[in-house]
């Protein structure tokens, strides 16, 4: 690796990937070379109640440092809500007290999961360089922002200086041609990739999703793609911003002046930019996928898991309980009931998404089918609270990971699937292909 000189280079003569362009902007140079190390200025930092103040406050205190720009730090409570014990109560109290004392204006308390509420509040914009205190921070890459996760020590450095060093990544292009069939969605794409490329297939580089099947996806489905780049071992996942991106941001409430200042067109890879690898897939040939315990890489078409008895069906997490996900489940559940002996648990990823789902009838369909509504928080996905899966349980979940013991007792078994497949399984009590049940 070599240290970047910072000398300006004519970008017209040096084709660049989207990742290179985003990093170059943050580094204040015209061009960066994969493998070089650059110092980047951070546009925004984000942490939650588990990774944030309780971890970084002691480090900042030891350094004698304060947050470099309180307006550029967003803190979200989502892991320890609702407080299940005195320890959780103490963590939430410390978080709230520290945010107040540090003068952090952007504190999102009890409004949903950080990776969903951050973009829905307009913090994730094309071209931005964002550091998150959670492994699924690459979610922000769906908006054409460079966003990745760091640990507490690195986050403390960011908060003290507003900067972080980065090895410029190579880009792995994942191109999806054709169109997804009805009942097949972004979660199926990612489970397929986990099996095909493996959990280390991202090589801690940048993954960029391209192709007509990706362009056709709504924003929250794009978020599922970049979110689960973490499972592939990538540093970040990226999708070039377009009219869909800008329309979603406008609907989310980003002010007109901010939107007018954003030109999404430069934030895309040059056609002749060199990439580490290109993987091409036919979206029309993709079937719903299910990952067997205890890894997302244990994924295969749903037919291979069909018939497996399930007693918990869980629709939750930043990966699998956004408004689009809830609507997928409702398409299957409309006019149907959950099977006897099955517990269908739904934890909408944000308060806003739950409110819209209530207004458009989606939430009513889920509840009428027999769903139990859980708080707008990480819940079982992060292994916290009363919703953890007990020993001996067999669950199917729309979450990102199914490692042994992650979502409950190590004696529980978790299959991963899309919201379509989770809902269909809840109706039959056995893992079921959802395509014949769509309304």
């Amino acid at each position: 690796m070599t240290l970047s000189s910072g000398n300006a280079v004519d970008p017209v003569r040096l084709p660049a990937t989207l990742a290179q362009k985003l990093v170059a902007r943050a580094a204040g140079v015209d061009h960066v070379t994969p493998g070089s190390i650059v110092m980047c200025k951070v546009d925004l930092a984000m942490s939650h109640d588990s990774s944030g103040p309780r971890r970084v406050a002691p480090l900042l205190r030891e350094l004698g440092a304060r947050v470099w720009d309180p307006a550029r730090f967003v803190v979200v409570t989502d892991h320890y809500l609702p407080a299940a014990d005195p320890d959780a109560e103490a963590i939430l109290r410390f978080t709230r007290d520290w945010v107040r004392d540090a003068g952090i204006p952007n504190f999102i308390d009890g409004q949903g999961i950080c990776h969903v509420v951050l973009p829905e509040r307009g913090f994730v914009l094309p071209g931005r360089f964002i550091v998150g205190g959670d492994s699924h921070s690459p979610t922000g890459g769906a908006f054409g922002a460079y966003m990745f996760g760091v640990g507490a020590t690195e986050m403390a450095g960011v908060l003290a200086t507003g900067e972080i060093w980065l090895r410029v990544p190579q880009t792995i292009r994942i191109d999806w041609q054709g169109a997804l069939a009805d009942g097949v969605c972004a979660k199926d794409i990612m489970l397929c990739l986990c099996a095909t490329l493996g959990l280390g297939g991202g090589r801690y580089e940048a993954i960029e999703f391209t192709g007509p099947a990706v362009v056709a996806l709504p924003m929250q489905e794009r978020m599922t793609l970049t979110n689960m780049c973490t499972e592939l071992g990538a540093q970040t996942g990226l999708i070039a911003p377009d009219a869909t991106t800008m329309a979603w941001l406008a609907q989310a409430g980003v002010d007109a002046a901010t939107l007018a200042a954003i030109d999404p067109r430069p934030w895309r890879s040059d056609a002749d930019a060199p990439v580490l690898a290109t993987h091409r897939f036919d979206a029309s040939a993709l079937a719903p996928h299910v990952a067997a315990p205890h890894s997302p890489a244990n994924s295969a078409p749903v037919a291979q898991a069909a018939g497996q008895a399930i007693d918990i069906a869980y629709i939750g997490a930043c990966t699998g309980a956004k408004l689009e996900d809830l609507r997928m489940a409702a398409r299957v559940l409309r006019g149907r009931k959950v099977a006897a002996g099955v517990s269908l648990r739904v934890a909408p990823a944000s308060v806003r998404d739950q409110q819209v789902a209530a207004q458009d009838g989606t939430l009513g369909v889920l509840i009428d089918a027999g769903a139990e509504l859980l708080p707008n928080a990480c819940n079982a996905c992060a292994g916290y609270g009363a919703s953890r899966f007990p020993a001996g349980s067999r669950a199917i979940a729309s979450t990102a990971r199914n490692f042994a013991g992650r979502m409950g007792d190590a004696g529980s078994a978790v299959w991963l699937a899309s919201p379509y497949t989770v809902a269909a399984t809840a109706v039959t009590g056995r893992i079921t292909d959802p395509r014949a049940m769509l309304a």
Side-chain angles (χ1 to χ4, degrees), residues 139-316:
T139 306
F143 295 84
Y146 198 97
M147 188 169 181
F148 62 106
V150 299
T153 302
E154 286 180 296
M155 182 59 77
V158 167
L159 295 182
T161 67
E163 298 181 327
I164 190 171
W165 68 268
L166 185 80
R167 179 187 64 81
V168 181
Q170 298 186 82
T171 292
I172 299 171
R173 181 186 295 127
I174 298 182
D175 186 77
W176 284 88
Q177 294 293 311
L180 293 171
D182 194 20
V184 182
C185 61
K187 182 62 176 290
D188 299 306
I189 287 177
M190 293 313 297
L191 291 178
C192 172
L193 291 177
C194 286
T196 304
L197 303 181
L199 299 192
R203 300 174 62 171
Y204 206 61
E205 306 288 356
I207 287 176
E208 182 177 355
F209 293 96
T210 62
V214 174
V215 172
L217 293 175
M219 282 310 304
Q220 289 193 335
E221 278 283 83
R222 296 181 187 187
M223 289 165 65
T224 298
L225 296 184
T226 54
N227 175 287
M228 285 192 66
C229 282
T230 300
E231 275 58 58
L232 293 175
Q235 182 182 68
T236 194
L238 295 168
I239 298 172
D242 57 15
T244 298
T245 314
M246 301 305 290
W248 193 93
L249 291 171
Q251 187 177 29
V254 177
D255 65 89
T258 299
L259 291 175
I262 299 172
D263 183 359
R265 291 172 298 179
W267 301 118
R268 57 190 64 254
S269 292
D270 297 327
D272 52 350
V275 297
L276 178 62
T278 297
H279 302 283
R280 290 190 172 88
F281 298 88
D282 178 5
S284 65
L286 185 66
H289 270 55
V290 174
H294 294 284
S295 170
N298 294 338
S299 179
V302 63
Q304 296 190 30
Q308 168 65 50
I310 294 293
D311 46 61
I312 298 173
Y314 185 83
I315 297 173

Side-chain angles (χ1 to χ4, degrees), residues 183 185 187-188 191 288-289 328 396-398 416-423 434:
C185 61
K187 182 62 176 290
D188 299 306
L191 291 178
H289 270 55
M328 291 179 204
I396 187 166
S398 63
L416 299 178
S418 76
Y420 285 128
T421 303
V422 173

Side-chain angles (χ1 to χ4, degrees), residues 119-143:
E120 78 177 16
R121 301 303 173 97
F123 287 107
V124 184
L125 300 174
R128 284 195 170 183
F129 186 90
I130 308 174
V131 175
D134 188 272
S135 63
H136 284 109
S137 294
T139 306
F143 295 84

Side-chain angles (χ1 to χ4, degrees), residues 75-111:
V75 178
V76 182
T77 56
D78 59 7
H79 276 59
Y80 285 97
L81 289 173
D85 52 48
D87 287 342
E89 291 176 357
I91 291 168
L92 290 169
R93 184 168 56 251
F94 182 87
T95 300
R96 291 163 179 151
D97 290 347
W98 185 88
V99 164
R100 182 195 63 236
D101 295 343
I104 306 299
N106 296 311
F107 179 41
I108 307 174
D109 191 7
Q111 295 299 300

